[in-house]
Amino acid sequence: MGILIVVASLSGNTRELGRQIAERCRAAGHAVHWQEADDLRQPAPLAADEADLVLLGSWTDNAGRTPAEMKAWVAGIAGLGQRPRQVAVFGTGETQWGQEYYCGAVHRLIRYFHSGYPPLEIEQMPHGERHAAAIDAWTDAVLAHYRSTTDADHRRHHA
């Protein structure tokens, strides 16, 4: 499967989370393509609508908003007429700014893309065995959900 991971990271927390997810996907035998959301000068390593699965990672800006670089990336693919087939979202946040804003960008992106995948939310920098286990479990669940969704689509179209 071809997976595109797009990351918006301010302090490096979300980038590190994305790296751990990418490693898990590669270990499962998938081709992983990486794009920084704020580097729009470079062509995408894999078009969003050609990827089997797009994994979006974002930090959360003031009052639970999606940061400008992720908004620009989303606007960029929309401008190209690209609509990803399957999108799962992960991110980092800080509860100190209020639980109502925690990982707000994750939830906004899920709503925008009508994603049926569960979110992965990590407070600040992913670290320790508990976070590693949560990241692996989320990645495995996303990959399994993708397989079950595409298998169901395949059966439905060929039954």
Side-chain angles (χ1 to χ4, degrees), residues 50-72:
E50 291 177 8
D52 296 305
L53 180 61
V54 176
L55 303 179
L56 298 179
S58 185
W59 63 286
T60 295
D61 206 348
N62 293 330
R65 291 192 168 85
T66 305
E69 63 270 26
M70 184 56 81
K71 287 181 183 177

Side-chain angles (χ1 to χ4, degrees), residues 68-121:
E69 63 270 26
M70 184 56 81
K71 287 181 183 177
W73 183 84
V74 170
I77 66 165
L80 295 171
Q82 296 179 10
R83 188 76 178 163
R85 294 178 208 137
Q86 303 262 347
V87 177
V89 186
F90 62 92
T92 57
E94 297 187 33
T95 55
Q96 69 179 349
W97 305 117
Q99 192 62 44
E100 68 274 22
Y101 301 128
Y102 178 67
C103 289
V106 171
H107 299 283
R108 287 171 186 260
L109 289 164
I110 285 172
R111 283 192 304 271
Y112 179 81
F113 286 105
H114 306 289
S115 174
Y117 290 88
L120 174 62
E121 302 169 355

